[in-house]
C-alpha cells in the first residue's frame, strides 16, 4: 500500500486494456442495446493540444457512462488526414505530405493512448488512405449520376497566397480562413455539389434538433442557410424584349419603387449598358474593375459611401407604369436573387443612402405610425371611399432624416393597397402580380452550392476523365480508387492549377468510353467531403466491397452523441447533414439527421487569452500529461465548470485533482472487509451519500454536468474518510460500498485510478464493464419529522413528513387523513392553522 503514482498505474493498465479490449464494440453475439458516441476526429497537423484533451475527455465520459449503463458503445477514432496544412508544411520543409502526415498521426496516437479515451482502436481510419478515399470517389459518382455533382464556370473565391479556390464558408470577413490573405475573385470552371436543392430540408429539419443541439449552432445554421420569403416581380425594360425579374421581401412596397439597381458584375448589367452611350460604357467598365476587387462583405456593409453608375436605361413598374431609371451599384450582389433589385428608398436603408447620394426620389408607401397590432382601428372611409389614415403622429420624411422607415404599418400612396397592413398588402400584391403574369411568390436562400474542387495535391482525386470526344466520363467503379500519384517529382507549390496536372503518366489515360486519348480531372476534393460521411465508415472501416455496411448503419445510427468544437458549427455539420440526406434519398440510410445530440466544448484559454505559441502563453498538452498524468488532467477538465464554458488554465488545479485522486485511491487500499460483506450492516449516513450519488449521477452526466458529479465524488470521498477515521473504521460495509461506487463513478473521468482501485478492492479488470449499481430507494428518502394534527384541540393524527414540506401540502395531507375526517364528521371547518412541518390545527363549528 505505497503512495499513489500515476505513472506506475498508467504503465500497469495500458497493456491490460490492450489485451482485454474492453472498448471493442459490436462483437458477434453481443445483445446489449447500442450507443454511438462520436468525437470530431482530429486533424493531424501536430501533437495533440489542450483543446483535444478537453473535448476527447468529455466525449469519453459520455462513452464510459453508457457502457456502465449496460450499452454496447461504439466510440471510434480516426484521422482527418488530407488537407492544405499538411501540404503547406510539406512545401515549407521540402518533405512528402504523406510522410509528414503519418508521422504526425503516430505522434498524436501515442499521446492519445496515454490519455486513454475508451476508443475501439480496431476501427481506426485515415481519410488519406486509398481504402478510405476510394469511397469518397464512390460517393462523388453517386452524386454525379443524380446531377448533384456538376461542373460550372463561375466567379470563385481565390486566395492569391495559397493559390487555391475557397468555398464561401472558408472566406472569413473577406480573408482566407487558412492564411489570412485578402480573397479575390477569379473565373474558373469548378465542381460543385448542389446543396441548394436541399436548402429547405436542411433548414426545416433543424427543428428536430431543438433542445438537443446548442441553440447557438442551430441559429448559425439557420442564418447560413438564410431563407427569406417574398416575391419575384417582373419589370419591362424599355428597348429590350426580355423582362427583368427582381427578388424582394417587400412586394408590398412596389408603389414606392423609384429606381432599379443591377449588380455591376451580373451579366444583365453588361447587356443593359451595351445600349448606352460610349461615355457611360467607359464609366461603367471602370466601375466594374473597382467592384471586382471588393469582397461581398465590403459590398454589403451599410456604412460605406454609396457608389454607382446610371446605365441610361429604364424599367417600367408593372403596377403603375412608372419609368424607373436603372443603375449599376456594388451593393447589389450578382449571386443573390436575380442580381437586380427594385429600390424602395423610403423603406430600405441602403436604397435610401443611394437615393440621397444620387438625388433620386423617395416615396413613402407605408405609414409605419399606423397601428397594425393590438387594437386594430376601424379604417374610416372619406366621401370618395378612400381610407382616412390615423394621422395624429406625423411620419418623418426619410428623404430629409436619412432614416428609412422599416417595419410594419399601413399602406399609403399605393392605389388599391391603401389601408392594408404590410402582411395583407404582401398577400394582395402577390395575388395581383400572379393574375397578371407579372410576378409570383418566391423564396431565396443565402446558401450557395458547395464548391468542392481544389487545385491542390493532398486530397482525393476527382474520379472523372475528360475526353475531347465524349466530354466528362466517370471513372468506372471497378477502377476505383483513382490513387494519388507519388508526390516525388511533382511541384506542389501553388500556381493556380493542380499539381496533379503535371503528373504526365497519371493524368494521361484512355477514355473509358471511346478509348481515345483523354485526361484525368486533376483537381482534388475539398476535405469537407471526407468528413461529411466518416461517421458511416467507422461501422465497417475495413470493408473493401462497400463504403459502409447498410445493416450496421441500421443497428448503430444515427449517432447518439457528437462532441466537438463550435468552429464546426456551420460547415462540417451542414455538409454532413446534406450528405446524410442525399444518402437517405438514394436509399442507403433510413435517417435524415446524422447527429442526434451535439455537445460543443468551450475553449481552453490562458489568463483570459486564446493560447498560442506566438503569444507565449501556450500550455503544452504533452508536458501537462507527463507532469500530472492523464487522470488528473481529465478530472481537471471535468471539474472546471460546465463543458460548454471556456476554461482558463490559471483558474484550475491539476495538482488539486491529483490529490483528490490519491485520496480516493488510498481508501481502496484501506478497506479490510471482503466483497461478500452485507451492505445493510454498514454505516447508514455514509450509505445515504453513496446512494444519492448513484441516483443523481446519471441525470447529471446526461445533462453534461460533469463538474457536479466530480464535486459529489469529492464529497463521498471525504465522507468515507471521516467514517474510517471516526468510529466505524475501514472494516465497515459502508466504507467498502462507498469505495466501490467511488471507483465506478470515477471511471467516467479517471479510468486508470478507477481500474487500480477496482483491483485493490479485490476485483478483476475491467471496471469499464461494471454495470451501474442501483440506488436503494430506502436510502434516498430524506429523514422525516412527525407532524401532529389536532381537531378542536385533540390530537387525532400523526403524519411522517419531509422537514421541507410546504404548509399547503401539509394541510392537504391532514385533510386527507381518515382519522381526521372521521373526527370532523358532518361539522363545518371554520379555521385551519398550519405550522409546517410540525402542526396542523383544525377548528370546527359545533
Ligand atoms: C425591395 C425592398 C423594400 C426590399 C424594402 C427590402 C426592404 P434578404 O432578407 O436578405 O433576402 N435584394 C434582393 N436581391 C439582392 C441582391 N442581389 N443584392 C443585394 N440586395 C438584394 O433581403 C432581400 C432584400 O434584399 C430584397 O427586398 C431586396 O430589397 C434586397 F422596404 O426589395 B428588397
Ligand atoms: Zn471518349
Amino acid at each position: 500500500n505505497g503512495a499513489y503514482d500515476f505513472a506506475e498505474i498508467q504503465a500497469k493498465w495500458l497493456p491490460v486494456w490492450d489485451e482485454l479490449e474492453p472498448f471493442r464494440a459490436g462483437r458477434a453475439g453481443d445483445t446489449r442495446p447500442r450507443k454511438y458516441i462520436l468525437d470530431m476526429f482530429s486533424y493531424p497537423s501536430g501533437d495533440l493540444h489542450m483543446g483535444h484533451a478537453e473535448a476527447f475527455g468529455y466525449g469519453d465520459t459520455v462513452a464510459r457512462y453508457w457502457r456502465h449503463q449496460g450499452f454496447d458503445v461504439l466510440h471510434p477514432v480516426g484521422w482527418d488526414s488530407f488537407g492544405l496544412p499538411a501540404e503547406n508544411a510539406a512545401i515549407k520543409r521540402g518533405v512528402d505530405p504523406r510522410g509528414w502526415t503519418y508521422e504526425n498521426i503516430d505522434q498524436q496516437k501515442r499521446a492519445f493512448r496515454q490519455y486513454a479515451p475508451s476508443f475501439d482502436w480496431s476501427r481506426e481510419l485515415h481519410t488519406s488512405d486509398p481504402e478510405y478515399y476510394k469511397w469518397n470517389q464512390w460517393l462523388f459518382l453517386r452524386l454525379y449520376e443524380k446531377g448533384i455533382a456538376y461542373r460550372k464556370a463561375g466567379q470563385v473565391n481565390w486566395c492569391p497566397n495559397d493559390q487555391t479556390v475557397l468555398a464561401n464558408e472558408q472566406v472569413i470577413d473577406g480573408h482566407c480562413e487558412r492564411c489570412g490573405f485578402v480573397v479575390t475573385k477569379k473565373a474558373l470552371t469548378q465542381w460543385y455539389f448542389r446543396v441548394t436543392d436541399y436548402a429547405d430540408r436542411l433548414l426545416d429539419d433543424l427543428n428536430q434538433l431543438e433542445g438537443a443541439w446548442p441553440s447557438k449552432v442551430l441559429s448559425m445554421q439557420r442564418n447560413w442557410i438564410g431563407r427569406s420569403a417574398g416575391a419575384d416581380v417582373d419589370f419591362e425594360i424599355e428597348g429590350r424584349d426580355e423582362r427583368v425579374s427582381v427578388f424582394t421581401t417587400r412586394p408590398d412596397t412596389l408603389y414606392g419603387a423609384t429606381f432599379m439597381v443591377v449588380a455591376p458584375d451580373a451579366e444583365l448589367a453588361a447587356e443593359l449598358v451595351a445600349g448606352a452611350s460610349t461615355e457611360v460604357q467607359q464609366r461603367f467598365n471602370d466601375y466594374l474593375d473597382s467592384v471586382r476587387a471588393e469582397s461581398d462583405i465590403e459590398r454589403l456593409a451599410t456604412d460605406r459611401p454609396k457608389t454607382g453608375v446610371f446605365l441610361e436605361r429604364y424599367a417600367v413598374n408593372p403596377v403603375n407604369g412608372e419609368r424607373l431609371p436603372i443603375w449599376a451599384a456594388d451593393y447589389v450582389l450578382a449571386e443573390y436573387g436575380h442580381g437586380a433589385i427594385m429600390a424602395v428608398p423610403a423603406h430600405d436603408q441602403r436604397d435610401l443612402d443611394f437615393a440621397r447620394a444620387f438625388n433620386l426620389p423617395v416615396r413613402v408607401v407605408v405609414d409605419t405610425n399606423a397601428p397594425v397590432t393590438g387594437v386594430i382601428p376601424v379604417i374610416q372611409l372619406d366621401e370618395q371611399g378612400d381610407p382616412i389614415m390615423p394621422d395624429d403622429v406625423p411620419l418623418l420624411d426619410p428623404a430629409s432624416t436619412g432614416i428609412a422607415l422599416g417595419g410594419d404599418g399601413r399602406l399609403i400612396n399605393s392605389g388599391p393597397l391603401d389601408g392594408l397592413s404590410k402582411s395583407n398588402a404582401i398577400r394582395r400584391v402577390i395575388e395581383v402580380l400572379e393574375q397578371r403574369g407579372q410576378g409570383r411568390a418566391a423564396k431565396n436562400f443565402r446558401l450557395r452550392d458547395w464548391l468542392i474542387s481544389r487545385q491542390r495535391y493532398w486530397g482525393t482525386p476527382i474520379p472523372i476523365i475528360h475526353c475531347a470526344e465524349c466530354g466528362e466520363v466517370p471513372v468506372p467503379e471497378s477502377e476505383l480508387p483513382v490513387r494519388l500519384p507519388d508526390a516525388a517529382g511533382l511541384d506542389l507549390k501553388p500556381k493556380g492549377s493542380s499539381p496533379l496536372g503535371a503528373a504526365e503518366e497519371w493524368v494521361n489515360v484512355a477514355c473509358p468510353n471511346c478509348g481515345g486519348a483523354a485526361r484525368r480531372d486533376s483537381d482534388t476534393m475539398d476535405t469537407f467531403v471526407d468528413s461529411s460521411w466518416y461517421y458511416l465508415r467507422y461501422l465497417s472501416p475495413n470493408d473493401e466491397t462497400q463504403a459502409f455496411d447498410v445493416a450496421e448503419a441500421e443497428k448503430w445510427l444515427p449517432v447518439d452523441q457528437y462532441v466537438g468544437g463550435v468552429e464546426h458549427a456551420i460547415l462540417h455539420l451542414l455538409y454532413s447533414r446534406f450528405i446524410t440526406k442525399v444518402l437517405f434519398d438514394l436509399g442507403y440510410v433510413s435517417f435524415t439527421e446524422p447527429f442526434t445530440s451535439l455537445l460543443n466544448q468551450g475553449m481552453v484559454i490562458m489568463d483570459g487569452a486564446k493560447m498560442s505559441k506566438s503569444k507565449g502563453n501556450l500550455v503544452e498538452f504533452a508536458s501537462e500529461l507527463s507532469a500530472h498524468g492523464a487522470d488528473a488532467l481529465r478530472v481537471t477538465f471535468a471539474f472546471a465548470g460546465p463543458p460548454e464554458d471556456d476554461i482558463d488554465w490559471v483558474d484550475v488545479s491539476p495538482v488539486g485533482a491529483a490529490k483528490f485522486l490519491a485520496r480516493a485511491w488510498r481508501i481502496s487500499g484501506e478497506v479490510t472487509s471482503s466483497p461478500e460483506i452485507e451492505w445493510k450492516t454498514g454505516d447508514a449516513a455514509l450509505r445515504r451519500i453513496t446512494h444519492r450519488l448513484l441516483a443523481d449521477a446519471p441525470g447529471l452526466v446526461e445533462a453534461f454536468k460533469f463538474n457536479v458529479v466530480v464535486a459529489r465524488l469529492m464529497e463521498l470521498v471525504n465522507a468515507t474518510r471521516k467514517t474510517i477515521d471516526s468510529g466505524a473504521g475501514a472494516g465497515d460495509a459502508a466504507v467498502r460500498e462507498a469505495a466501490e461506487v467511488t471507483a465506478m463513478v470515477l471511471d467516467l473521468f479517471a479510468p486508470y485510478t478507477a481500474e487500480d482501485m477496482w483491483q485493490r478492492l479485490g476485483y478483476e479488470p475491467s471496471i469499464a464493464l461494471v454495470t451501474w449499481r442501483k440506488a436503494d430507494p430506502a436510502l434516498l428518502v430524506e429523514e422525516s419529522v412527525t407532524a401532529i394534527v389536532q381537531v378542536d384541540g385533540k390530537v387525532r393524527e400523526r403524519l411522517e413528513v419531509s422537514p421541507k414540506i410546504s404548509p399547503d401540502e401539509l394541510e392537504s395531507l391532514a385533510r386527507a387523513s381518515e382519522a381526521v375526517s372521521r373526527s370532523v364528521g358532518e361539522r363545518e371547518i371554520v379555521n385551519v392553522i398550519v405550522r409546517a412541518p410540525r402542526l396542523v390545527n383544525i377548528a370546527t363549528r359545533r
Side-chain angles (χ1 to χ4, degrees):
N1 199 6
Y4 174 76
D5 179 347
F6 72 79
E8 197 178 293
I9 297 176
Q10 288 182 187
K12 175 173 163 190
W13 291 111
L14 264 188
V16 176
W17 292 336
D18 281 350
E19 170 86 29
L20 291 178
E21 296 191 297
F23 315 125
R24 194 159 184 155
R27 288 183 205 258
D30 197 329
T31 56
R32 289 176 292 173
R34 301 180 187 85
K35 286 275 180 193
Y36 188 167
I37 312 299
L38 182 63
D39 305 303
M40 291 184 184
F41 61 174
S42 160
Y43 185 83
S45 59
D47 202 352
L48 288 186
H49 52 68
M50 295 299 276
H52 290 119
E54 184 199 11
F56 285 95
Y58 296 151
D60 198 44
T61 294
V62 177
R64 286 177 182 274
Y65 166 74
W66 286 112
R67 240 180 252 111
H68 287 296
Q69 295 295 329
F71 284 76
D72 187 5
V73 173
L74 175 56
H75 188 213
V77 60
W79 313 94
D80 189 11
S81 47
F82 265 144
L84 211 48
E87 190 163 347
N88 287 345
I91 292 163
K92 210 159 121 194
R93 288 158 222 221
V95 295
D96 179 74
R98 176 175 288 119
W100 183 89
T101 301
Y102 284 82
E103 270 165 38
N104 277 326
I105 291 176
D106 277 349
Q107 194 188 354
Q108 289 201 349
K109 201 166 157 173
R110 278 194 299 273
F112 257 144
R113 294 198 13 90
Q114 286 291 313
Y115 199 54
S118 58
F119 291 139
D120 180 349
W121 283 97
S122 72
R123 295 171 187 259
E124 181 184 4
L125 60 80
H126 312 84
T127 58
S128 53
D129 285 350
E131 294 75 19
Y132 186 90
Y133 67 70
K134 168 180 180 173
W135 302 109
N136 281 342
Q137 293 168 340
W138 170 87
L139 181 67
F140 179 97
L141 293 179
R142 294 291 81 75
L143 269 61
Y144 184 75
E145 284 163 7
K146 287 281 162 193
I148 297 171
Y150 68 98
R151 221 157 71 110
K152 75 168 180 203
Q155 296 287 326
V156 299
N157 299 310
W158 180 254
C159 173
N161 183 44
D162 288 331
Q163 292 274 306
T164 193
V165 164
L166 299 171
N168 281 343
E169 295 80 345
Q170 289 162 323
V171 182
I172 310 296
D173 289 343
H175 295 263
C176 172
E177 175 191 65
R178 301 282 191 201
C179 72
F181 239 69
V182 174
V183 172
T184 57
K185 295 270 181 186
K186 186 172 167 142
L188 273 180
T189 299
Q190 297 283 322
W191 287 99
Y192 294 83
F193 286 169
R194 221 178 278 283
V195 64
T196 51
D197 275 7
Y198 286 76
D200 273 317
R201 288 163 69 187
L202 286 166
L203 190 73
D204 294 339
D205 287 357
L206 289 172
N207 296 338
Q208 298 173 27
L209 304 172
E210 206 70 62
W213 279 30
S215 52
K216 186 168 128 198
V217 174
L218 293 176
S219 73
M220 283 164 91
Q221 293 255 324
R222 287 188 178 112
N223 288 337
W224 190 261
I225 298 164
R227 179 166 64 192
S228 28
D232 282 343
V233 184
D234 306 335
F235 287 77
E236 302 277 353
I237 305 294
E238 289 180 6
R240 188 174 195 264
D241 292 337
E242 264 175 89
R243 296 189 292 183
V244 165
S245 301
V246 305
F247 172 70
T248 174
T249 47
R250 295 291 306 274
D252 56 313
T253 63
L254 190 46
Y255 284 86
T258 53
F259 55 103
M260 179 184 270
V261 185
V262 300
D265 46 342
E267 227 164 88
L268 176 64
E271 277 173 35
L272 291 175
V273 81
S277 63
T278 37
E279 192 217 313
V280 166
Q281 290 191 23
Q282 186 54 52
R283 212 174 325 133
F284 171 80
N285 287 332
D286 291 347
Y287 183 56
L288 182 58
D289 284 342
S290 66
V291 171
R292 284 216 197 281
E294 299 168 350
S295 72
D296 288 357
I297 309 272
E298 288 171 317
R299 288 174 63 167
L300 287 174
T302 43
D303 53 358
R304 312 167 60 226
K306 291 284 173 283
T307 57
V309 176
F310 175 45
L311 299 182
E312 296 182 333
R313 301 287 299 262
Y314 291 88
V316 181
N317 188 331
V319 287
N320 58 11
E322 265 182 40
R323 293 180 89 207
L324 307 179
I326 305 178
W327 288 67
D330 63 353
Y331 77 98
V332 172
L333 302 180
E335 309 274 313
Y336 190 75
H338 302 284
I341 65 156
M342 65 181 215
V344 185
H347 302 287
D348 180 279
Q349 191 61 47
R350 276 178 297 181
D351 294 344
L352 180 62
D353 295 343
F354 193 87
R356 280 160 50 99
F358 294 98
N359 260 319
L360 293 158
V362 177
R363 185 189 308 136
V364 177
V365 290
V366 183
D367 177 355
T368 50
N369 285 341
V372 281
T373 51
V375 185
I376 299 181
V378 179
I379 306 240
Q380 309 275 330
L381 300 183
D382 62 18
E383 293 97 288
Q384 277 83 46
D386 289 333
I388 306 164
M389 300 308 299
D391 57 358
D392 39 342
V393 192
L395 265 183
L396 296 176
D397 178 11
S400 46
T401 61
I403 300 164
L405 302 170
D408 214 340
R410 290 192 182 271
L411 275 280
I412 54 174
N413 300 324
S414 296
L417 302 179
D418 281 357
L420 293 179
S421 68
K422 173 180 151 187
S423 55
N424 283 336
I426 289 176
R427 234 167 294 163
R428 184 79 195 105
V429 81
I430 289 175
E431 262 169 37
V432 170
L433 290 170
E434 278 175 351
Q435 273 163 18
R436 301 199 210 148
Q438 291 169 329
R440 62 217 61 84
K443 61 187 166 186
N444 243 287
F445 295 90
R446 207 175 86 85
L447 186 68
R448 299 275 81 101
D449 278 344
W450 176 11
L451 198 172
I452 62 117
S453 46
R454 298 288 180 275
Q455 292 66 53
R456 299 300 297 245
Y457 169 77
W458 192 232
T460 304
I462 288 173
I464 293 286
I465 289 167
H466 299 281
C467 169
E469 290 298 316
C470 319
E472 288 166 8
V473 184
V475 173
E477 225 168 293
S478 60
E479 287 171 29
L480 300 184
V482 178
R483 284 170 188 273
L484 264 185
D486 239 6
L490 290 182
D491 179 10
L492 299 187
K493 277 202 204 70
K495 54 195 167 304
S497 61
S498 173
L500 292 179
E504 291 300 330
E505 286 206 358
W506 179 88
V507 81
N508 292 305
V509 285
C511 167
N513 205 26
C514 70
R519 281 175 72 83
R520 289 191 188 283
D521 197 297
S522 59
D523 286 354
T524 52
M525 294 182 208
D526 181 4
T527 55
F528 276 118
V529 177
D530 314 2
S531 54
S532 67
W533 69 282
Y534 77 117
Y535 71 93
L536 286 159
R537 185 64 185 166
Y538 279 134
L539 302 175
S540 52
N542 304 313
D543 194 334
E544 287 170 14
T545 63
Q546 54 189 342
F548 62 93
D549 189 315
V550 173
E552 289 290 302
E554 275 303 297
K555 280 201 238 163
W556 290 100
L557 287 163
V559 170
D560 295 286
Q561 182 64 57
Y562 201 20
V563 181
V566 73
E567 67 274 17
H568 291 303
I570 298 177
L571 296 190
H572 162 59
L573 292 174
L574 189 76
Y575 294 152
S576 305
R577 299 180 59 228
F578 160 63
I579 291 295
T580 301
K581 289 175 200 305
V582 172
L583 290 172
F584 172 86
D585 290 352
L586 294 174
Y588 289 102
V589 298
S590 62
F591 52 91
T592 53
E593 284 294 331
F595 311 123
T596 310
S597 169
L598 175 67
L599 171 63
N600 287 141
Q601 79 279 3
M603 281 198 312
V604 188
I605 56 177
M606 189 62 194
D607 219 353
K610 206 171 157 164
M611 288 185 188
S612 79
K613 223 171 237 161
S614 58
K615 268 187 237 146
N617 68 348
L618 190 73
V619 179
E620 300 263 10
F621 171 62
S623 59
E624 292 293 290
L625 187 63
S626 56
H628 307 289
D631 285 359
L633 282 191
R634 292 172 57 155
V635 168
T636 303
F637 285 120
F639 191 50
E644 301 86 350
D645 290 0
D646 292 348
I647 297 175
D648 197 326
W649 205 245
V650 297
D651 295 338
V652 299
S653 168
V655 173
K659 278 190 188 145
F660 156 64
L661 291 173
R663 261 201 320 277
W665 181 86
R666 224 178 295 123
I667 288 171
S668 68
E670 289 174 51
V671 170
T672 52
S673 60
S674 88
E676 281 77 42
I677 196 167
E678 273 283 344
W679 299 134
K680 284 199 183 75
T681 64
D683 177 87
L686 180 56
R687 294 202 72 204
R688 238 185 239 116
I689 301 176
T690 304
H691 282 256
R692 240 179 270 143
L693 174 61
L694 282 175
D696 294 349
L700 292 169
V701 173
E702 287 172 41
F704 310 130
K705 293 182 176 162
F706 308 140
N707 54 328
V708 181
V709 179
V710 174
R712 296 282 296 272
L713 269 169
M714 292 174 170
E715 180 200 357
L716 178 60
V717 168
N718 289 340
T720 314
R721 166 58 49 209
K722 245 193 236 151
T723 309
I724 294 173
D725 293 347
S726 68
D732 191 280
V735 170
R736 165 168 281 277
E737 187 184 35
E740 291 188 6
V741 169
T742 300
M744 187 194 69
V745 180
L746 202 53
D747 182 55
L748 307 184
F749 312 103
Y752 290 109
T753 309
E755 191 76 273
D756 210 55
M757 286 177 70
W758 199 236
Q759 190 191 44
R760 284 151 69 87
L761 288 163
Y763 299 103
E764 297 285 313
S766 170
I767 193 173
L769 298 176
V770 168
T771 348
W772 199 266
R773 296 259 173 92
K774 286 238 171 343
D776 179 349
L779 290 166
L780 299 177
V781 189
E782 296 165 74
E783 290 125 285
S784 59
V785 296
T786 307
I788 284 169
V789 187
Q790 293 182 326
V791 179
D792 298 325
K794 289 207 183 80
V795 175
R796 297 294 183 186
E797 177 69 299
R798 288 187 161 81
L799 297 167
E800 289 302 307
V801 298
S802 157
K804 288 179 211 135
I805 194 165
S806 71
D808 284 353
E809 264 181 289
L810 185 57
E811 179 176 340
S812 36
L813 273 184
R815 283 173 181 267
S817 151
E818 271 291 316
V820 170
S821 51
R822 218 179 308 120
S823 83
V824 170
E826 299 292 298
R827 280 169 283 140
E828 188 192 347
I829 295 177
V830 288
N831 193 17
V832 181
I833 297 166
V834 184
R835 298 270 175 272
R838 297 275 177 200
L839 179 74
V840 181
N841 203 340
I842 299 174
T844 68
R845 195 192 310 277
R846 293 173 170 273

